[in-house]
Amino acid sequence: MEVGLKMGFEETELRLGLPGGGEGGEVVRKRGFSETVDLKLNLSSSKQDTSGMDPNDEKVTGLNKEKNLLLSATDPAKPPAKAQVVGWPPVRSFRKNILATAIRKSGSDESSGEKVAFVKVSMDGAPYLRKVDLRMYTSYHQLSDALAKMFSYFTIGNCGSQGLKDFMNESKLMDLLNGSDYVPTYEDKDGDWMLVGDVPWEMFVESCKRLRIMKGTEAIGLAPKAVEKCKKMS
Amino acid sequence: MFWGSRKTINMNYFPDEVLEHVFDFITSHKDRNSVSLVCKSWYKIEKYSRQRVFLGNCYSISPERLIARFPGLKSLTLKGKPHFADFNLVPDDWGGFLYPWIKAMGKSRIGLEELKLKRMVVSDESLELLSKSFPNFKSLVLVSCEGFTTDGLAAIAANCRFLRELDLQENEVEDHRGHWLSCFPESCTSLVSLNFACLKGEINLASLERLVTRSPNLKSLRLNRAVPFDTLQRLLIRAPQLVDLGTGSYVNDPSSEAYKKFKAAIQSCNSIRSLSGFLEVAPRCMSAIYPICENLTFLNLSYAAGLQSNELTKLIQHCRKLQRLWILDCIGDKGLGVVASACKELQELRVFPSDPFDAGNAAVTEEGLVLVSAGCPKLNSLLYFCQRMTNAALITVAKNCTNFIRFRLCILDPIKPDPVTNQPLDEGFGAIVRSCKGLKRLSLSGLLTDQVFYYIGMYAKKLEMLSIAFAGDSDKGMLYVLNGCKKLRKLEIRDCPFGDAALLEDMGKYETMRSLWMSTCEVTLGACKMLAKKMPNLNIEIINENEQTESNLDDNQKVDKMYLYRTLVGHREDAPEFVWLL
């Protein structure tokens, strides 16, 4: 499956050279610089877009965000490192995790227990697993964008953009699952496999232990349970 | 010298035991390797008397051959994944599995006593097998490993009757909320070192107290954040002989009874030389540890995100004997100035970013580094994450400190030039390599051209490890390094415009090195294949991010990630599907 995100690649390619001047400096091809741009980009650029945490308000598509980020990467006024790169800065994930938790906790009086931010993400058919830090996102939409980038031939369809509301509607859920190729699911604290999107985002982050992106047809079995849980909670 | 009739006395007239005794004094791996090359009898004696073996790459040799080569092995150090795996550049399941080693050694007559692992995948199964296979097992040190849970730790605790050391550093451990600590039997009184700071879950506090109470030899204790302040205080009373302490949760009310008791308890811990922890910290409680600061040689506050610059500096001012300091960048340049004036014995400084996700927030600049270099003439090891760096600053640092063995600079913006002159940082790093003749490890960052590599190749004659990211202009850069750095062992490169010409120019060079990592460079599959064909003693591994199979990819296509290493045993059998062994 082609990745549409490569549109306009060459124009937005990162160049080395003195800021503000183009001639004389060589265009050094950092092949794949934008390819190494991490899913975390979603958060840094979208922070302005999504001030509240209501998933229903988001209108910015993943594609627009990507373009915005690449543009800011070549804008001489903004240093390229606003875009975060995979594996940069070179700090062990263990340390990043601890400090990320500490940053979030600073200001709050009570310690609410240790939260594991990084969860493994597997996708049916993909050769290996990845890891995401759920605490880097504030909504399902952001997570969905990030996962889309990670597994570039993965389509979430419209599952992520509508968020909570769609999953309350059982028939619409069925349409979505039948229509899309892949569906994100997660294992919660009780060890049950749930459909992503059931519960409010914060609750999801608290309870998610790992993610699995399943083929849509396999995920249908989860749907009635998901809707049931939702109904119980509302 | 008399030849002819006079017999020359040589050491082979001595019985083996004498030679062995002499060899006992030779402890460095390099020297013992040299000894074994002298002659057959020395080889044999050295072989049977060798107890400590270090394998920097677990795939360079097989467990069976190791056992055959050194049947007297007692202490083994193994490293698995390439260094860049620490930064998520290597997918899970790449390799580095401990189990085959334990299985092979367990079946043989090896009496393993010590095992130190770095970046390996350690399963509970392997820990359990380890605990049951070696009755004299004494020491387990795991650094940056993963794949195990607290169940594996329970097996170690329960079965290793003479365990002296259990040291877990920055591992990803799945917590099963088990009572692994309670699995140490009452008869276990041999503990010298216990470090479980990286564990995330709850700990049975009563078991911990009992364990510490019955361990009179305990010198090093590092707690995790689940251990509260009042337990810490009780532990200190039981173990005033501690030399190394890592606090758990360091949060309390200074007016409370517990706090007063703690202050009293810590006064009697006058052997503490090393202090760490503080993952959770109440700044107003820090004054309680001032009494032990004057004797500290190692202070690690790199997880203490709750401490501000002024609290840090107040503390550090008391630490006049400090040799090693690990700190967060919130200390700021001014704070580093305090370090420079207070810590005259400082040898190692590590400044970590307190917000690793946002490049704009780094709170230290070139100024802090210059201050430390001016105030601490014994500085020889540096890890410095900063917002910016200038050539002038680096040149000054190079003048002030000529003893650097390790110099790792990370400017958080990966290709940032000197902000004052807008020049690349070639001259600054050039000054460092020119001045620090003993430099063994170097990590570069900032805007860099081929020129910096010219300097490195020219001057960094003792360099063993070099890490490069987003640097250079052409193949010449990499070639300067490969040709000039005769002692190079590990080279890791990401996102640089180095390609086939550089890779293939001197293929024999890689047999003199442990490994080479190149990711997101200009190297093509065809070049890797050629290298693999010509150099049978190298394993060339390609890690491929896409779902393409080998047959789909043509030779002109660039590889995402290439990792090559010298080996005596050819292709490894445990590579996953996404790793192609050429």
Side-chain angles (χ1 to χ4, degrees):
Chain A
M1 182 144 196
E2 284 301 297
V3 179
L5 301 168
K6 288 207 168 112
M7 206 166 91
F9 187 92
E10 286 73 35
E11 286 156 0
T12 56
E13 201 168 38
L14 182 72
R15 290 155 186 239
L16 275 192
L18 301 180
E23 30 11 279
E26 279 179 11
V27 174
V28 177
R29 273 160 217 294
K30 296 291 190 218
R31 183 186 72 87
F33 178 77
S34 59
E35 286 156 26
T36 61
V37 153
D38 195 19
L39 43 91
K40 291 190 183 82
L41 284 174
N42 271 319
L43 185 65
S44 53
S45 76
S46 60
K47 259 181 179 149
Q48 296 97 41
D49 297 330
T50 60
S51 45
M53 290 193 206
D54 186 347
N56 299 319
D57 277 350
E58 283 141 33
K59 298 202 170 65
V60 183
T61 66
L63 184 55
N64 272 344
K65 276 186 211 158
E66 171 78 354
K67 264 168 110 175
N68 287 339
L69 287 158
L70 288 173
L71 285 171
S72 77
T74 53
D75 175 359
K78 274 194 187 148
K82 280 296 180 206
Q84 288 193 30
V85 174
V86 173
W88 193 269
V91 174
R92 271 189 191 153
S93 334
F94 181 87
R95 178 176 288 280
K96 270 188 178 165
N97 220 346
I98 302 258
L99 290 175
T101 316
I103 291 167
R104 275 176 224 111
K105 276 195 191 159
S106 61
S108 73
D109 282 327
E110 73 223 40
S111 110
S112 33
E114 189 62 43
K115 296 173 184 77
V116 179
F118 279 91
V119 298
K120 287 185 181 176
V121 186
S122 63
M123 175 166 168
D124 290 359
Y128 53 83
L129 281 61
R130 300 295 297 268
K131 270 189 174 165
V132 290
D133 177 6
L134 293 178
R135 298 228 165 253
M136 291 313 295
Y137 314 106
T138 54
S139 70
Y140 285 113
H141 188 77
Q142 289 178 2
L143 176 63
S144 141
D145 281 340
L147 293 176
K149 280 210 182 70
M150 258 185 174
F151 300 99
S152 53
Y153 36 87
F154 149 68
T155 49
I156 197 170
N158 291 318
C159 286
S161 53
Q162 306 303 326
L164 208 43
K165 279 191 181 157
D166 278 349
F167 291 100
M168 300 293 272
N169 182 334
E170 187 167 356
S171 60
K172 191 151 190 199
L173 182 58
M174 286 304 173
D175 288 342
L176 283 167
L177 286 174
N178 282 323
S180 61
D181 295 337
Y182 290 96
V183 159
T185 64
Y186 71 101
E187 184 182 6
D188 72 2
K189 274 185 179 151
D190 305 324
D192 296 322
W193 283 92
M194 313 291 297
L195 209 55
V196 167
D198 292 350
V199 301
W201 173 256
E202 278 301 325
M203 199 183 297
F204 163 71
V205 174
E206 296 280 323
S207 60
C208 172
K209 272 179 59 181
R210 62 183 291 168
L211 281 160
R212 179 182 160 198
I213 302 167
M214 299 171 80
K215 288 211 151 70
T217 43
E218 276 185 46
I220 284 181
L222 290 174
K225 193 175 179 187
V227 176
E228 218 178 272
K229 246 186 171 176
C230 267
K231 283 186 181 151
K232 277 195 194 142
M233 283 188 288
S234 53
Chain B
M1 303 302 129
F2 297 93
W3 302 96
S5 53
R6 179 77 88 101
K7 275 191 187 151
T8 41
I9 311 270
N10 72 44
M11 283 185 72
N12 286 331
Y13 284 144
F14 293 136
D16 287 358
E17 295 77 26
V18 173
L19 277 177
E20 204 177 300
H21 183 66
V22 171
F23 292 170
D24 272 351
F25 292 98
I26 301 171
T27 48
S28 106
H29 294 293
K30 278 200 185 117
D31 290 342
R32 290 202 71 119
N33 292 346
S34 304
V35 158
S36 67
L37 292 174
V38 168
C39 64
K40 276 194 180 138
S41 83
W42 280 37
Y43 174 91
K44 191 168 147 223
I45 297 166
E46 200 282 322
K47 164 182 169 141
Y48 286 104
S49 64
R50 174 96 86 146
Q51 292 184 348
R52 316 185 73 84
V53 174
F54 170 86
L55 287 182
N57 175 5
C58 64
Y59 290 118
S60 58
I61 196 160
S62 68
E64 291 74 24
R65 279 184 66 167
L66 174 70
I67 292 164
R69 176 75 177 82
F70 297 116
L73 179 66
K74 287 211 165 74
S75 164
L76 178 63
T77 301
L78 280 176
K79 292 191 182 179
K81 301 186 198 180
H83 177 229
F84 278 173
D86 275 346
F87 317 131
N88 287 341
L89 287 178
V90 177
D92 282 356
D93 303 332
W94 170 86
F97 305 106
L98 175 64
Y99 188 79
W101 295 87
I102 304 297
K103 186 160 166 221
M105 286 190 288
K107 274 198 280 189
S108 76
R109 293 197 339 221
I110 298 273
L112 193 69
E113 292 182 13
E114 294 175 8
L115 186 63
K116 177 165 179 182
L117 305 175
K118 192 167 187 182
R119 281 189 290 274
M120 302 267 311
V121 177
V122 177
S123 61
D124 282 346
E125 207 188 0
S126 58
L127 288 177
E128 200 177 323
L129 186 59
L130 168 70
S131 73
K132 292 185 176 153
S133 304
F134 310 109
N136 281 334
F137 193 74
K138 294 193 172 72
S139 163
L140 181 64
V141 180
L142 303 179
V143 180
S144 202
C145 296
E146 49 155 6
F148 61 105
T149 76
T150 45
D151 293 347
L153 297 178
I156 298 286
N159 302 326
C160 301
R161 292 191 305 144
F162 303 114
L163 194 70
R164 288 204 204 133
E165 179 172 26
L166 179 60
D167 185 357
L168 308 171
Q169 298 175 30
E170 300 195 336
N171 303 289
E172 293 290 346
V173 186
E174 210 175 289
D175 210 298
H176 284 180
R177 294 187 174 43
H179 299 273
W180 66 276
L181 255 185
S182 322
C183 292
F184 281 105
E186 289 302 313
S187 56
C188 173
T189 57
S190 47
L191 273 181
V192 173
S193 167
L194 178 63
N195 172 8
F196 57 92
C198 65
L199 295 187
K200 298 183 175 121
E202 296 305 312
I203 287 290
N204 186 324
L205 299 175
S207 289
L208 176 63
E209 281 187 53
R210 283 198 300 274
L211 180 62
V212 169
T213 307
R214 66 176 186 275
S215 303
N217 297 322
L218 194 67
K219 293 279 190 292
S220 168
L221 179 63
R222 296 191 186 188
L223 311 168
N224 74 346
R225 81 196 298 161
V227 179
F229 192 89
D230 50 344
T231 306
L232 171 64
Q233 173 256 315
R234 283 201 291 280
L235 292 172
L236 289 181
I237 293 182
R238 310 250 186 276
Q241 76 282 4
L242 282 180
V243 170
D244 169 24
L245 173 67
T247 68
S249 166
Y250 192 79
V251 175
N252 209 275
D253 176 358
S255 58
S256 71
E257 263 313 297
Y259 186 78
K260 295 197 179 88
K261 283 192 198 165
F262 176 82
K263 281 174 77 167
I266 198 128
Q267 300 271 18
S268 32
C269 296
N270 43 26
S271 303
I272 294 182
R273 298 289 172 271
S274 163
L275 187 61
S276 60
F278 302 101
L279 268 77
E280 255 174 33
V281 55
R284 11 165 227 197
C285 294
M286 290 310 280
S287 54
I289 59 171
Y290 291 171
I292 56 164
C293 285
E294 59 182 31
N295 288 324
L296 286 182
T297 56
F298 177 39
L299 179 60
N300 181 356
L301 294 173
S302 64
Y303 286 112
L307 293 176
Q308 301 303 316
S309 177
N310 54 335
E311 285 133 13
L312 292 170
T313 49
K314 259 198 271 178
L315 182 68
I316 288 171
Q317 274 170 332
H318 289 89
C319 303
R320 304 260 150 191
K321 294 206 188 128
L322 214 53
Q323 292 173 15
R324 299 167 62 209
L325 176 63
W326 294 20
I327 199 113
L328 288 173
D329 65 2
C330 45
I331 191 173
D333 288 329
K334 282 220 190 84
L336 288 177
V338 174
V339 172
S341 55
C343 307
K344 295 302 181 187
E345 302 297 312
L346 198 67
Q347 294 175 29
E348 175 179 327
L349 175 66
R350 296 195 189 193
V351 181
F352 292 95
S354 43
D355 189 354
F357 299 105
D358 191 343
N361 278 349
V364 296
T365 70
E366 74 275 13
E367 287 179 25
L369 182 59
V370 169
L371 287 170
V372 175
S373 74
C376 307
K378 296 189 182 177
L379 199 62
N380 62 36
S381 175
L382 181 75
L383 173 63
Y384 196 74
F385 286 85
C386 58
Q387 202 193 100
R388 44 176 269 166
M389 185 54 58
T390 63
N391 282 311
L394 284 174
I395 291 168
T396 306
V397 169
K399 270 204 211 102
N400 292 339
C401 294
T402 58
N403 296 324
F404 276 115
I405 299 174
R406 269 169 246 111
F407 192 88
R408 299 159 67 187
L409 186 68
C410 180
I411 302 163
L412 286 166
D413 181 339
I415 49 167
K416 196 181 166 95
D418 179 328
V420 171
T421 63
N422 267 329
Q423 295 299 306
L425 290 173
D426 302 334
E427 297 306 312
F429 281 107
I432 295 286
V433 295
R434 227 189 328 258
S435 152
C436 303
K437 309 223 188 297
L439 194 67
K440 286 192 179 164
R441 182 170 179 182
L442 178 63
S443 300
L444 307 171
S445 58
L447 183 64
L448 295 164
T449 72
D450 283 346
Q451 185 66 17
V452 72
F453 300 112
Y454 171 80
Y455 291 137
I456 291 172
M458 174 82 73
Y459 298 111
K461 291 306 180 189
K462 299 251 169 83
L463 196 67
E464 295 180 10
M465 181 171 177
L466 179 62
S467 310
I468 311 173
F470 303 103
D473 307 313
S474 73
D475 284 337
K476 280 203 280 192
M478 185 167 163
L479 285 172
Y480 288 138
V481 172
L482 290 176
N483 292 333
C485 298
K486 304 292 183 201
K487 301 256 168 155
L488 196 63
R489 292 190 298 120
K490 288 182 280 181
L491 181 58
E492 45 186 27
I493 305 173
R494 62 162 296 181
D495 294 88
C496 295
F498 304 143
D500 297 346
L503 181 70
L504 297 178
E505 159 119 346
D506 180 4
M507 298 192 248
K509 171 80 175 173
Y510 307 124
E511 278 186 347
T512 70
M513 291 167 54
R514 184 190 299 172
S515 64
L516 168 67
W517 168 281
M518 291 180 77
S519 59
T520 325
C521 296
E522 304 284 310
V523 170
T524 66
L525 181 60
C528 294
K529 282 183 180 171
M530 180 177 337
L531 187 55
K533 195 162 163 211
K534 297 244 163 97
M535 306 293 298
N537 282 341
L538 297 179
N539 274 353
I540 322 277
E541 298 192 4
I542 308 290
I543 298 170
N544 201 40
E545 308 259 6
N546 308 313
E547 263 205 347
Q548 298 157 307
T549 57
E550 252 172 285
S551 47
N552 286 354
L553 215 56
D554 85 52
D555 283 3
N556 288 330
Q557 222 155 326
K558 291 176 190 148
V559 299
D560 284 325
K561 295 172 182 169
M562 180 205 72
Y563 180 54
L564 69 81
Y565 51 90
R566 66 180 174 193
T567 177
L568 294 174
V569 289
H571 282 177
R572 58 186 175 111
E573 317 260 289
D574 60 3
E577 269 178 33
F578 55 86
V579 174
W580 303 345
L581 305 170
L582 297 182

